[in-house]
Amino acid sequence: MECRVFDRPDSGERAILVHLNCLYQKEDLAELKELAKSAGTNPVEVVTASRQRPDPKFFIGKGKVEELKAIVEAQEADVVLFNHPLSPSQERNLEKFLEVRVVDRNGLILDIFAQRAQSFEGKLQVELAQLKHLSTRLVRGWTHLERQKGGIGLRGPGETQLETDRRLLAGRIKQIQQRLDKVDKQRHQGRSQRKKADVPTVSLVGYTNAGKSTLFNTLTGADIYVADQLFATLDPTLRSCSLPNNSQIVLADTVGFIRHLPHELVAAFKSTLQEASEAELLLHVVDAHSEDRDEIMRQVHLVLEEISADKIRRLEIFNKIDLLDDVQPHIDRDDEGNAVRIWLSAETGLGIELLYSVLAEIFSNSKVKKRCVLQANQGDIRAKLSAYAQILSEKIDDLGVNELVIEIDVKYLGLLGSVQTEEV
């Protein structure tokens, strides 16, 4: 029987969930149910199995796949969702045997991201991830892709349909990557301007559905979409935030993390996640009410390592304390008196003032305004001031003497050396 391609229905997808208890990689069944609902499907039955290692042909074994086929027919299911990554051949074999669409864990997450992306950059990033995922599925994926063109008037260069699709995919991937590189340059310029103005960036990171967007809205007064579902918000959002000591920070709300985040997504969202990797402080938002709190925190740390953000200072925000009994908002500090954890509720506002005070403590305002005079041969100092200070005014006379008024953090005053300065 020749394998058919199954189109996705517009709505009302009845899904069968498949979960394999396997020693080599453990996944959470409850998380699969949340992912399925977030994708807009209707899970009608869950099929579980246990094996020492996955079956190379069907992943769950011949006997279990026959049982699965009977359930698919009885439930009139439209799609089968696996809680694990499948190889291209396993996905092909399953679709051929079950005669319904089969989607693995990575494909399911990519589908959710495709629904959530709103901005031009977000849509490009999702498309890039999907194309990279699809390119692996072209390897001996379908029988019709292996046929050469032939017959009268159809003889060509001998290129198979598979090779044509590969070439078209490669061309589109290259085109998207070039566009994203331009967006990345624009983001880099924005980060450089904030660094120049010495406005620190604080990135919210954490597991999806931990309450990052709710906390972001509470701190900044923004109105970004919030919902009790996985990956409710996808596109990064940056807003200015005023602290009690009158200093300013920029808050960045990033995409939520998840167990075994597909590598295609980490690569595609590199520019978005760079807001976290180049931030001065990470607010790690944790669902304090979750039973898997410690494991979820470990997964977030693994993703931070993958994007080279694990060395940045982190402040843990234990959110949703309104769902816990006898827990009041408070600050945990280390032996040196530094804040390491804040217990609060972003939904009710309980303990938010503690977060404000800690942020003001971390980012104390240490800027000063100076009037300085640079001689014509001190262009190197002028270049350093461009990078580390905000130039408020500048006047150069006929002899090349440069009089500037700058705003600079006290930690960079050493750059001025013996330059004549005075307070403004």
Side-chain angles (χ1 to χ4, degrees):
M1 181 179 68
E2 182 175 321
C3 183
R4 296 184 286 132
V5 180
F6 299 93
D7 295 326
R8 180 178 179 181
D10 294 331
S11 61
E13 280 186 310
R14 294 171 61 82
I16 304 295
L17 310 186
V18 180
H19 177 77
L20 181 65
N21 294 314
C22 189
L23 296 177
Y24 90 110
Q25 182 174 331
K26 295 184 178 180
E27 301 290 0
D28 185 1
L29 179 56
E31 190 171 86
L32 173 64
K33 295 177 182 178
E34 288 297 321
L35 286 170
K37 292 177 182 177
S38 297
T41 65
N42 175 27
V44 293
E45 191 157 342
V46 177
V47 176
T48 60
S50 298
R51 290 179 64 92
Q52 285 293 108
R53 60 184 61 85
D55 177 67
K57 184 175 182 180
F58 291 116
F59 191 80
I60 55 175
K62 186 63 164 45
K64 185 60 74 169
V65 81
E66 289 176 349
E67 176 188 332
L68 177 59
K69 183 177 177 64
I71 294 173
V72 167
E73 293 173 349
Q75 293 286 354
E76 297 182 345
D78 304 303
V79 63
V80 175
L81 305 178
F82 274 73
N83 198 21
H84 315 270
L86 299 175
S87 70
S89 61
Q90 287 169 338
E91 190 173 298
R92 182 185 72 249
N93 293 335
L94 285 164
E95 287 197 338
K96 184 176 180 179
F97 189 86
L98 298 174
E99 295 188 326
V100 293
R101 187 163 172 263
V102 174
V103 179
D104 69 355
R105 178 185 172 84
N106 289 0
L108 180 59
I109 294 173
L110 287 169
D111 185 88
I112 297 171
F113 271 52
Q115 295 180 47
R116 300 284 189 268
Q118 298 294 327
S119 69
F120 172 73
E121 179 190 4
K123 290 177 181 178
L124 281 179
Q125 289 172 326
V126 171
E127 185 180 355
L128 177 62
Q130 287 180 315
L131 290 177
K132 287 184 174 179
H133 182 73
L134 177 60
S135 65
T136 65
R137 264 56 191 162
L138 289 179
V139 182
R140 298 178 58 83
W142 308 99
T143 55
H144 79 278
L145 296 181
E146 297 169 358
R147 299 174 185 160
Q148 289 188 327
K149 297 177 182 178
I152 303 298
L154 295 177
R155 302 186 195 280
E159 183 178 48
T160 65
Q161 184 63 47
L162 176 59
E163 290 167 341
T164 301
D165 286 356
R166 277 178 177 162
R167 179 167 48 79
L168 292 174
L169 272 178
R172 180 59 179 161
I173 288 173
K174 182 179 180 181
Q175 185 183 44
I176 294 175
Q177 191 62 64
Q178 288 173 342
R179 291 185 181 179
L180 285 175
D181 287 343
K182 290 183 180 179
V183 175
D184 191 29
K185 288 179 181 178
Q186 293 171 351
R187 284 189 174 278
H188 180 71
Q189 289 174 350
R191 285 190 292 267
S192 298
Q193 289 295 324
R194 293 197 298 270
K195 185 176 181 180
K196 182 177 176 180
D198 206 28
V199 179
T201 299
V202 177
S203 283
L204 294 163
V205 299
Y207 212 71
T208 182
N209 209 25
K212 296 187 308 302
S213 296
T214 303
L215 180 61
F216 183 88
N217 287 342
T218 301
L219 291 174
T220 65
D223 190 27
I224 59 176
Y225 179 67
V226 175
D228 185 19
Q229 58 184 202
L230 303 187
F231 305 117
T233 53
L234 175 60
D235 298 301
T237 308
L238 282 78
R239 292 287 188 277
S240 177
C241 179
S242 299
L243 300 181
N245 60 355
N246 295 322
S247 60
Q248 294 284 323
I249 62 173
V250 170
L251 272 179
D253 186 21
T254 59
V255 63
F257 299 160
I258 198 169
R259 284 184 180 88
H260 309 125
L261 193 66
H263 290 290
E264 297 98 336
L265 282 177
V266 174
F269 283 79
K270 183 179 179 182
S271 62
T272 300
L273 295 173
Q274 207 163 359
E275 294 293 350
S277 63
E278 295 192 9
E280 280 79 5
L281 175 70
L282 300 179
L283 297 184
H284 179 184
V285 184
V286 179
D287 182 355
H289 182 253
S290 173
E291 295 179 356
D292 300 325
R293 185 175 70 196
D294 294 338
E295 171 61 20
I296 286 173
M297 291 177 67
R298 191 182 73 84
Q299 293 294 331
V300 171
H301 293 163
L302 290 175
V303 177
L304 290 175
E305 287 180 4
E306 193 165 354
I307 63 174
S308 302
D310 53 312
K311 298 294 190 290
I312 299 173
R313 179 177 178 179
R314 284 198 295 271
L315 178 62
E316 293 175 353
I317 308 298
F318 272 34
N319 189 26
K320 304 184 182 182
I321 64 168
D322 53 307
L323 302 178
L324 298 173
D325 296 328
D326 300 324
V327 176
Q328 296 300 315
H330 63 278
I331 302 172
D332 293 339
R333 297 182 180 271
D334 60 17
D335 295 338
E336 298 176 359
N338 298 314
V340 293
R341 187 178 301 110
I342 302 176
W343 298 72
L344 54 77
S345 170
E347 179 72 25
T348 65
L350 197 65
I352 290 295
E353 72 284 352
L354 298 179
L355 176 55
Y356 273 120
S357 66
V358 169
L359 290 174
E361 178 185 312
I362 294 173
F363 299 108
S364 58
N365 196 342
S366 56
K367 288 184 179 180
V368 293
K369 288 185 179 180
K370 292 280 188 179
R371 178 179 288 106
C372 54
V373 178
L374 301 180
Q375 301 303 316
N377 62 350
Q378 293 180 308
D380 57 331
I381 296 179
R382 175 63 181 80
K384 291 177 181 178
L385 291 178
S386 295
Y388 294 97
Q390 187 174 6
I391 310 298
L392 302 179
S393 67
E394 185 173 13
K395 185 168 59 178
I396 304 176
D397 64 18
D398 296 339
L399 299 177
V401 177
N402 195 351
E403 181 180 329
L404 305 96
V405 175
I406 63 172
E407 187 174 47
I408 188 170
D409 194 289
V410 291
K411 63 185 177 183
Y412 296 128
L413 284 176
L415 298 174
L416 295 171
S418 58
V419 172
Q420 177 186 348
T421 65
E422 62 177 27
E423 294 284 346
V424 176

